[in-house]
């Protein structure tokens, strides 16, 4: 894919654990219709464990060989992702906050989480009870193409990510880019880079992307090849 393939390294991480993640875990297996998250999606902060995970990811970044270190960092504008990027980069010598020449995250709204529209904050039970017609439409269309009212389908994510990666080709040709974002964006980047089918990526999506996990591709000839996916080895003991 043009733009992605122009990079030398593409490294992605999901934000550290957020208070929103904790809220959904708290109601899992219950009869609750809502997760009970007071903030808008863009303002959900990291949990204490999420901040520790971000720091652990930063130590992983600090240990990278010089020729694998990112030359550009781009983050979702959502608080949990941007704070993950800042905490992680603060652990490295090449992005020290006190260094005016240090690496700093740039924000791109195309890396934000998938818009859920009227279903935002609802559990599966909440969707079934409050929007039964939407639940049935989801089952009929399948997750990849289903778009909730006011929200986005997974296919919509592919459209905005194609635009994002085309722009990266101009911003960092041959560069080493770190993207700090959300689970759906990591999954759909794999769909684009590896030119997967709907069926292949929806099977992959069934495996949850770990908070502060590492997914990487590196250039091999004219293409990017997978190095690791959803790797959490660096988070041992950090609540991963």
């Amino acid at each position: 894919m043009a733009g992605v393939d122009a990079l030398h390294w593409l490294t992605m991480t999901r934000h550290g654990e957020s208070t929103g993640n904790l809220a959904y875990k708290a109601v899992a297996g219950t009869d609750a219709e809502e997760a009970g998250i007071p903030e808008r999606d863009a303002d959900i902060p990291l949990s204490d464990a999420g901040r520790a995970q971000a720091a652990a990811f930063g130590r992983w970044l600090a240990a990278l060989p010089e020729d694998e270190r990112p030359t550009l960092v781009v983050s979702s504008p959502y608080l949990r992702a941007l704070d993950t990027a800042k905490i992680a980069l603060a652990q490295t010598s090449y992005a020290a906050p006190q260094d005016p020449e240090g690496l700093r995250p740039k924000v791109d709204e195309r890396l934000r989480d998938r818009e859920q529209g009227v279903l935002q904050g609802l559990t599966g039970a909440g969707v079934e009870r409050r929007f039964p017609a939407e639940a049935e439409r989801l089952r009929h269309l399948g997750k990849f193409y289903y778009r909730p009212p006011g929200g986005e389908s997974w296919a919509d994510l592919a459209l905005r990510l194609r635009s994002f990666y085309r722009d990266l080709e101009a911003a960092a040709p041959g560069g080493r880019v770190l993207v700090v974002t959300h689970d759906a964006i990591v999954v759909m980047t794999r769909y684009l880079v590896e030119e997967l089918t709907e069926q292949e990526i929806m099977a992959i999506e069934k495996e949850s992307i770990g908070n502060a996990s590492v997914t990487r591709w590196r250039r091999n000839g004219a293409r990017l090849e997978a190095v690791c996916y959803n790797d959490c080895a660096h988070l041992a003991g950090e609540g991963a």
Side-chain angles (χ1 to χ4, degrees), residues 114 134-148 152-155 198-199 202 205:
R114 186 170 73 93
E134 291 302 316
E136 179 55 36
R137 199 160 67 90
L138 169 58
R139 284 188 286 269
H140 176 68
L141 293 175
K143 182 181 286 190
F144 190 82
Y145 289 111
Y146 169 73
R147 180 188 294 122
E152 295 177 293
S153 68
W154 287 73
E198 172 194 353
Q199 292 74 23
M202 288 294 95
E205 185 272 335

Side-chain angles (χ1 to χ4, degrees), residues 31-215:
D31 206 34
E33 295 184 4
E34 297 185 16
I37 300 170
E39 304 92 352
R40 65 173 186 158
D41 197 20
D43 298 329
I44 295 173
L46 294 172
S47 67
D48 289 343
R51 298 180 72 83
Q53 290 169 345
F57 173 67
R59 292 190 290 273
W60 177 86
L61 284 176
L64 284 175
E66 188 170 353
D67 62 355
E68 295 184 22
R69 294 174 181 174
T71 55
L72 176 66
V73 179
V74 192
S75 174
S76 159
Y78 284 13
L79 181 63
R80 56 193 182 274
L82 190 53
D83 278 356
T84 296
K86 291 176 179 177
I87 291 168
L89 289 175
Q91 308 301 309
T92 71
S93 60
Y94 53 88
Q98 66 273 16
D99 181 359
E101 301 300 321
L103 201 57
R104 287 174 173 76
K106 298 181 182 298
V107 166
D108 196 302
E109 73 284 345
R110 290 170 293 184
L111 296 175
R112 72 189 186 279
D113 209 353
R114 186 170 73 93
E115 303 283 358
Q116 301 282 351
V118 299
L119 307 185
Q120 184 67 42
L122 297 182
T123 64
V127 174
E128 290 284 352
R129 292 173 191 155
R130 299 185 188 184
F131 298 97
E134 291 302 316
E136 179 55 36
R137 199 160 67 90
L138 169 58
R139 284 188 286 269
H140 176 68
L141 293 175
K143 182 181 286 190
F144 190 82
Y145 289 111
Y146 169 73
R147 180 188 294 122
E152 295 177 293
S153 68
W154 287 73
D156 291 330
L157 297 186
L159 294 178
R160 59 169 150 108
L161 286 173
R162 289 184 194 279
S163 166
F164 169 73
Y165 286 118
R166 278 196 300 270
D167 288 350
L168 267 190
E169 183 174 16
R176 305 185 296 270
V177 177
L178 168 63
V179 172
V180 184
T181 185
H182 307 270
D183 52 356
I185 302 300
V186 175
V187 171
M188 288 308 293
T189 295
R190 182 170 178 182
Y191 167 80
L192 295 176
V193 173
E194 300 177 23
E195 299 182 343
L196 302 176
T197 66
E198 172 194 353
Q199 292 74 23
E200 288 170 332
I201 199 60
M202 288 294 95
I204 289 168
E205 185 272 335
K206 292 177 181 177
E207 175 191 350
S208 297
I209 300 293
N211 293 112
S213 60
V214 173
T215 296

